[in-house]
């Protein structure tokens, strides 16, 4: 079945970087944009940006410009989100999501918990 | 940047009642690129409605979406026990943004 499987939980120190992976299966990876959304504990959903897996083109939310990089490896149907200069406020669950429903996110990864702590 | 404001923040209802959730945009949402998601604790969000009124695959028909321009509504005709959750609207026509969420809790 169509699914996105993300990498495991991460613990990082302030100032470090984290790279989260999102492996797609059950559909043609290059067909739909991959988006990244994060959610701090008890808070709402925050969109970070999108990537077209076919072209590699990206678009980032202004808040994350200069700190986030979204890439992909089409040979293994995997998307990546790297966030640098981490601070405690970046502690959150990070989700990848595929925009196959006319651009809306119909398939989500299981989430990756990233904890930033000294 | 389009800002989405959801109301109310919390809705306290009993099973079997009708739930009406509102999502208002600061600017017109192009081509009704408005979606609704349901999220339960510890789970990823689930797409319910896209294109303002189209139900996603497998979503029961007690969920319906309506609206255009800047005002959108999610209606749950008769609440089932599994419907108590947090609901988010999202616009994906001009950049992308989520509303802050409405919690539907058991009264």
């Amino acid at each position: 079945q169509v699914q996105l499987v993300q990498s495991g939980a991460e613990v990082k120190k302030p100032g470090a970087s984290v790279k989260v992976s999102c492996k797609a299966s059950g559909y043609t990876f290059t067909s739909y944009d991959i988006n990244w959304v994060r959610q701090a504990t008890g808070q709402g959903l925050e969109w970070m940006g999108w990537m077209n897996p076919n072209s590699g083109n990206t678009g980032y939310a202004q808040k994350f410009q200069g700190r986030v990089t979204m890439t992909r490896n089409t040979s293994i149907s995997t998307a990546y989100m790297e966030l640098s200069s981490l601070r405690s406020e970046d502690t959150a669950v990070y989700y990848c999501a595929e925009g196959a429903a006319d651009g809306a996110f119909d398939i989500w990864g299981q989430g990756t918990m990233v904890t930033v702590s000294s | 940047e389009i800002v989405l404001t959801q109301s109310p923040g919390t809705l306290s209802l009993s099973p079997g009642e009708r739930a009406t959730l509102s999502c208002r945009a600061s600017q017109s949402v192009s081509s009704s690129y408005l979606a609704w998601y349901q999220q339960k604790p510890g789970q990823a969000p689930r797409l319910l409605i896209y294109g303002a009124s189209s139900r996603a695959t497998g979503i029961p028909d007690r969920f319906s979406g309506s609206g255009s321009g800047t005002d959108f509504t999610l209606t749950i005709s008769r609440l089932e026990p599994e419907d108590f959750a947090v609901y988010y609207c999202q616009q994906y026509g001009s950049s992308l943004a989520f509303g802050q969420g409405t919690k539907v809790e058991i009264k």
Side-chain angles (χ1 to χ4, degrees):
Chain A
Q1 77 277 25
V2 177
Q3 61 178 353
L4 299 172
V5 178
Q6 298 183 222
S7 48
E10 302 263 14
V11 179
K12 296 292 182 180
K13 292 195 181 302
S17 296
V18 68
K19 191 171 186 177
V20 179
S21 68
C22 171
K23 182 172 177 60
S25 62
Y27 74 100
T28 302
F29 175 63
T30 51
S31 294
Y32 306 108
D33 290 351
I34 293 286
N35 286 259
W36 291 88
V37 176
R38 76 178 186 180
Q39 185 173 40
T41 301
Q43 303 300 307
L45 302 171
E46 183 174 34
W47 177 72
M48 300 179 68
W50 62 269
M51 181 192 64
N52 181 307
N54 187 41
S55 63
N57 289 344
T58 57
Y60 303 139
Q62 192 167 5
K63 175 177 179 176
F64 299 100
Q65 291 269 6
R67 263 205 324 142
V68 71
T69 305
M70 296 176 187
T71 57
R72 88 288 192 212
N73 182 334
T74 55
S75 67
I76 55 171
S77 300
T78 300
Y80 302 93
M81 186 283 299
E82 184 169 20
L83 188 63
S84 62
S85 302
L86 290 169
R87 34 208 186 232
S88 59
E89 311 88 88
D90 295 317
T91 294
V93 175
Y94 289 76
Y95 293 102
C96 60
E98 165 232 87
D102 192 31
F105 304 163
D106 65 337
I107 302 294
W108 293 68
Q110 83 275 20
T112 296
M113 182 70 211
V114 175
T115 303
V116 182
S117 173
S118 55
Chain B
E1 178 186 332
I2 298 178
V3 176
L4 299 178
T5 302
Q6 293 186 238
S7 61
T10 302
L11 200 49
S12 298
L13 295 167
S14 300
E17 289 193 293
R18 181 183 187 90
T20 303
L21 287 66
S22 173
C23 176
R24 178 161 291 177
S26 59
Q27 305 170 44
S28 183
V29 176
S30 61
S31 303
S32 293
Y33 284 143
L34 193 288
W36 290 92
Y37 298 85
Q38 176 194 69
Q39 188 179 34
K40 297 179 181 179
Q43 297 183 16
R46 177 174 73 142
L47 177 66
L48 301 175
I49 301 288
Y50 65 96
S53 60
S54 297
R55 268 188 301 277
T57 302
I59 301 302
D61 61 7
R62 64 179 181 273
F63 291 93
S64 63
S66 62
S68 63
T70 60
D71 288 294
F72 298 87
T73 300
L74 174 71
T75 302
I76 311 170
S77 59
R78 288 178 56 86
L79 283 164
E80 297 288 341
E82 62 268 27
D83 298 337
F84 292 91
V86 179
Y87 292 82
Y88 295 95
C89 61
Q90 174 207 43
Q91 71 83 17
Y92 52 100
S94 169
S95 188
L96 199 146
F98 289 94
Q100 82 280 16
T102 290
K103 182 179 182 180
V104 178
E105 65 176 23
I106 299 176
K107 187 174 181 180

